[in-house]
Amino acid sequence: MPNSKPTPVTMDAVYTAPGYLFRRMQQIAVALFIEECKAFDLTPVQYAALVTISTHPGIDATRLSAVIAFDRSTLGNVIERLQAKDYIVRKPAPEDKRVKLLFLTKAGAGVLNEIMPSVDKAQARMLQPLKPADRKTLLSLLTQLVDLNNEASRVPLRAEDALEHLGRSG
Amino acid sequence: MPNSKPTPVTMDAVYTAPGYLFRRMQQIAVALFIEECKAFDLTPVQYAALVTISTHPGIDATRLSAVIAFDRSTLGNVIERLQAKDYIVRKPAPEDKRVKLLFLTKAGAGVLNEIMPSVDKAQARMLQPLKPADRKTLLSLLTQLVDLNNEASRVPLRAEDALEHLGRSG
DNA sequence: ATTTAATTGACAGTATACTTACAATACGGC
DNA sequence: GCCGTATTGTAAGTATACTGTCAATTAAAT
């Protein structure tokens, strides 16, 4: 009789799983971001896209997705929303008819400057409960882990590759 | 002239933000889970729900949401999908006509038992790149941080409260 | 130079994750 | 026992996040 002893299942199968903990922390991070930045009507993803377009004016959607490691399909919708809010504009690339280049508008640059302190506050708040030394340790291990697992993600970060033929502005 | 010196924006505003790193790790965690468990057609969230229904048979959707800290609305759809796959059944509660109680089916209990090793493999893989001591440190800090930030999340974990009048089976 | 392959943005479809709102039901104070 | 209130499940609407696919276009192979 095979499989005669099924392992007894406990909630530890959920609570101690790193994947569960990362999910919870991500949800906490988004909640804190939204709370601190509620005056600005910008989501964390939209903020990351704005920052990247700011540091790489004229980047296209595919390269943007590689630089922040967000899915290309998802980013299409994000870009549409940023455009609807008049924070960015899309201009057709002269040398490649498929490509649309992304630029910040004045309003986009303004929001980005204004939201920064609130973003910093949110980022600080989510580590606040830890002792300063533990914050540094966690951030260091987390940075290492994300980097070492880069290829495991569906959309690996390709910061360098993506910018090879751009003006190397970031 | 106010605001005459806008802070120069760099990609560090994204790359070093803990929120960004948590988002990346969550995406990596999901990718690894899906890859290891592709034979089973179960998502991480569906797995967590199945485990909880297994350890708390007869739990209702609202309490389930509190025990795994997932949004109540989201969970409605998750439950529908688990029901469509015949992994769970919903039975009306005799003493409260609003409530529908959740139970595993034989198939649900079977999948849960079979998928466990693959889930463990995925969870191990995402920490694998770190040295064993660093894995322990990260997991400890992450667990602390999630717990200390519990109230900041939109759906705080309420494991105890949620089970007060249940049979205390977990 | 013409066929083949790769890239780009777009779209459809599924699955979380959250908000607000709502009807049905249950419960509290009185 | 009635009434205001809270709870439960559900639904609609928005925003990620991923899978495919597709047409248009460009690049590469020969």
Side-chain angles (χ1 to χ4, degrees), chain A residues 23 27 60-63 72-73 80 90 98-100:
Chain A
R23 175 183 301 271
Q27 289 174 347
D60 62 276
T62 296
R63 247 148 293 272
R72 207 160 56 99
S73 294
E80 271 178 29
R90 276 196 278 195
R98 296 168 303 179
V99 173
K100 297 179 183 175

Side-chain angles (χ1 to χ4, degrees), chain A residues 104-115:
Chain A
L104 285 199
T105 60
K106 283 239 171 71
V111 176
L112 190 52
N113 256 298
E114 284 175 26
I115 203 178

Side-chain angles (χ1 to χ4, degrees), chain A residues 7-117:
Chain A
T7 312
V9 180
T10 73
M11 283 307 292
D12 270 7
V14 173
Y15 291 154
T16 68
Y20 174 77
L21 295 168
F22 285 127
R23 175 183 301 271
R24 292 266 287 131
M25 261 322 291
Q26 207 268 321
Q27 289 174 347
I28 288 164
V30 172
L32 289 174
F33 184 105
I34 297 296
E35 191 182 321
E36 287 292 343
C37 303
K38 59 174 174 291
F40 296 99
D41 187 35
L42 265 191
T43 66
V45 169
Q46 289 167 12
Y47 164 77
L50 268 197
V51 167
T52 309
I53 297 172
S54 169
T55 60
H56 308 94
I59 197 173
D60 62 276
T62 296
R63 247 148 293 272
L64 175 58
S65 111
V67 170
I68 51 183
F70 289 171
D71 182 75
R72 207 160 56 99
S73 294
T74 305
L75 215 48
N77 303 324
V78 176
I79 287 170
E80 271 178 29
R81 284 175 213 118
L82 287 174
Q83 196 174 19
K85 295 178 189 176
D86 278 317
Y87 290 158
I88 63 170
V89 287
R90 276 196 278 195
K91 299 181 184 174
E95 76 293 355
D96 189 334
K97 289 177 195 165
R98 296 168 303 179
V99 173
K100 297 179 183 175
L101 307 179
L102 304 170
F103 298 91
L104 285 199
T105 60
K106 283 239 171 71
V111 176
L112 190 52
N113 256 298
E114 284 175 26
I115 203 178
M116 288 283 221

Side-chain angles (χ1 to χ4, degrees), chain B:
Chain B
M1 41 172 73
N3 282 335
S4 56
K5 283 187 209 164
T7 312
V9 180
T10 72
M11 283 309 290
D12 270 6
V14 173
Y15 291 153
T16 68
Y20 174 76
L21 295 168
F22 285 126
R23 174 182 303 270
R24 292 265 286 133
M25 261 323 291
Q26 207 268 323
Q27 289 175 347
I28 288 164
V30 172
L32 289 174
F33 184 104
I34 298 295
E35 190 182 323
E36 287 292 343
C37 304
K38 60 173 173 294
F40 296 99
D41 188 33
L42 265 192
T43 66
V45 169
Q46 290 167 12
Y47 165 77
L50 268 197
V51 167
T52 310
I53 297 171
S54 169
T55 61
H56 308 95
I59 197 172
D60 62 277
T62 296
R63 247 148 293 274
L64 175 57
S65 111
V67 171
I68 50 181
F70 289 171
D71 182 75
R72 204 162 57 99
S73 294
T74 306
L75 215 49
N77 302 322
V78 176
I79 287 170
E80 271 178 29
R81 284 176 212 117
L82 287 174
Q83 197 173 18
K85 294 178 189 176
D86 278 317
Y87 290 159
I88 64 171
V89 287
R90 277 196 278 195
K91 297 181 184 172
E95 76 294 353
D96 189 335
K97 288 176 194 164
R98 296 170 304 179
V99 173
K100 297 179 181 173
L101 307 178
L102 304 170
F103 298 90
L104 285 199
T105 61
K106 283 241 171 69
V111 176
L112 191 51
N113 256 298
E114 285 175 26
I115 202 178
M116 287 284 222
S118 301
V119 173
D120 291 345
K121 218 176 292 177
Q123 301 305 313
R125 259 184 78 189
M126 70 186 72
L127 297 186
Q128 197 86 35
L130 293 181
K131 288 178 298 196
D134 284 346
R135 285 175 220 161
K136 275 184 105 166
T137 304
L138 176 63
L139 210 49
S140 163
L141 291 175
L142 191 56
T143 304
Q144 286 177 54
L145 195 58
V146 166
D147 185 50
L148 294 169
N149 273 319
N150 190 38
E151 296 307 316
S153 79
R154 287 304 185 181
V155 185
L157 185 71
R158 301 257 184 258
E160 302 310 313
D161 299 12
L163 302 174
E164 243 155 37
H165 55 53
L166 213 73
R168 191 88 48 169
S169 34

